[in-house]
Amino acid sequence: MSIGTAGGAAPAYVDDDALDAISVSHLPWSLDLGDDRAPTSARWDLGEPWVVGCRIGRMTGRRGRAELRDTPGEYVAVLLVHHGTEYLRQEGRTAEVTAGGAALWDGVRPVECFTASRLDKHTMFVPRALLAAAVPDLDAALVRAIPDSADLRLLHAWLQTATGHEDLEPDTAQRAGRMALDLLNASLARARDGSSGTHAVLLLQVKSFLDANLSDPTLTLDTVAKANAVSLRYLHLLFQGSGETAREYLRRRRLERARQLLTGADLSVTEVAGRCGFDSPSSFSRAYRAHFGMTPREARRED
């Protein structure tokens, strides 16, 4: 990232460490900074997405060919403004994002941004393929202010809560990232059709229930449906378009939890299997090998 300064030489209080922190935490940008506020930023990894918190003064930025070439991977960025106003411009569209608002911009295309005064914000970077699979007609949602909704307000509050902790365990961080993505999807669903986003909110509720009951080997989809006051058929419909079935989600989450326990807790393979809802060590070992390409014991030795 090349960083210049609006209006002349860099002020003394904008030190190299602050600029380096912005370079490391964000995708590559070319920025011109004003002299009214020293920029600060911090990054949190939440599983597949990562989130950057940033406070900055007057600023203009651009991502052109050089920055796109230096970007590792393809991402969509979710801008959430807490204080101030940021303007985005990409491929002929302009979005004004004010406090409490949000908008998406595409990390694979040139983009510009501008703010005239102090700005406090979070930016969540989501793998483009992941978001495209969950959001119909993603291109239509880019660089458009996301309408205010309960889901969007929850997303703002959730990211501020999740990023308020510096010592999140990997499993907890992944759960926080999934919840943030579910709230984002609910916000976008509401923006698309003006509905309450009930489908997406209920999916978030069901996933939270599954995450809370991973250790129960007797858990069935009938039980999940009854606990969340939906039919079994509607439970299956909820997961359509999410990239996996309810059963696949439960199996994946159990195996992710098992991997974390194998590498971070002093438990036997049998104990890990029991805590992750598998009815026997042998079924656990087969499922683990099929998912990760190695047995639980091999994973522990590798660690």
Side-chain angles (χ1 to χ4, degrees):
M1 173 187 291
S2 62
I3 300 180
T5 304
Y13 60 76
V14 181
D15 59 29
D16 290 340
D17 289 341
L19 300 183
D20 288 344
I22 294 176
S23 300
V24 170
S25 59
H26 292 70
L27 299 182
W29 278 86
S30 174
L31 296 179
D32 294 326
L33 303 180
D35 59 1
D36 55 326
R37 184 183 182 92
T40 60
S41 68
R43 170 173 168 159
W44 298 265
D45 291 308
L46 300 180
E48 291 182 284
W50 83 84
V51 178
V52 176
C54 185
R55 292 182 176 179
I56 201 166
R58 293 194 312 273
M59 172 270 295
T60 60
R62 66 200 65 82
R63 278 175 50 81
R65 291 182 179 178
E67 289 75 29
L68 293 173
R69 185 175 59 249
D70 292 339
T71 299
E74 297 185 354
Y75 299 91
V76 172
V78 187
L79 167 67
L80 299 106
V81 173
H82 306 304
H83 178 91
T85 300
E86 182 167 350
Y87 297 87
L88 294 172
R89 184 165 60 243
Q90 188 170 55
E91 295 199 333
R93 295 182 190 169
T94 300
E96 177 183 2
V97 187
T98 57
L104 309 179
W105 54 266
D106 198 343
V108 303
R109 307 174 186 177
V111 62
E112 297 176 314
C113 65
F114 166 77
T115 183
S117 59
R118 172 193 160 192
L119 182 73
D120 295 352
K121 64 177 179 176
H122 278 108
T123 305
M124 181 166 65
F125 295 93
V126 184
R128 199 176 194 282
L130 178 66
L131 197 57
V135 179
D137 197 9
L138 175 60
D139 284 352
L142 296 171
V143 200
R144 299 188 188 280
I146 300 173
D148 177 57
S149 67
D151 301 304
L152 183 58
R153 292 192 293 273
L154 279 171
L155 178 57
H156 271 267
W158 178 247
L159 286 181
Q160 288 179 308
T161 299
T163 57
H165 301 275
E166 298 181 356
D167 56 349
L168 290 180
E169 295 181 354
D171 191 59
T172 303
Q174 287 183 355
R175 187 178 302 116
R178 285 193 302 274
M179 293 183 71
L181 289 174
D182 285 335
L183 287 169
L184 172 63
N185 291 340
S187 301
L188 293 172
R190 186 188 296 266
R192 282 195 302 273
D193 57 22
S195 71
S196 63
T198 302
H199 180 101
V201 173
L202 187 54
L203 178 60
L204 172 61
Q205 174 184 309
V206 170
K207 286 182 174 180
S208 296
F209 177 83
L210 290 169
D211 284 348
N213 291 276
L214 296 177
S215 63
D216 182 1
T218 67
L219 187 66
T220 66
L221 295 188
D222 281 322
T223 304
V224 175
K226 290 176 182 177
N228 289 275
V230 298
S231 69
L232 182 59
R233 180 176 179 276
Y234 191 70
L235 177 66
H236 290 301
L237 288 175
L238 280 175
F239 279 84
Q240 284 187 1
S242 70
E244 57 190 348
T245 65
R247 197 178 304 279
E248 288 169 343
Y249 176 86
L250 177 59
R251 175 60 62 92
R252 175 175 62 80
R253 290 293 300 119
R254 281 175 164 166
L255 290 169
E256 289 173 350
R257 176 62 175 161
R259 180 171 59 178
Q260 193 245 339
L261 290 176
L262 284 169
T263 58
D266 187 17
L267 298 172
S268 69
V269 170
T270 299
E271 288 173 317
V272 171
R275 291 196 183 192
C276 295
F278 289 91
D279 55 12
S280 70
S282 59
S283 64
F284 168 53
S285 183
R286 287 194 299 271
Y288 196 95
R289 185 185 185 101
H291 190 78
F292 293 114
M294 64 180 70
T295 67
R297 287 185 171 81
E298 288 170 342
R300 173 161 282 169
R301 287 197 297 271
E302 188 176 84
D303 181 65

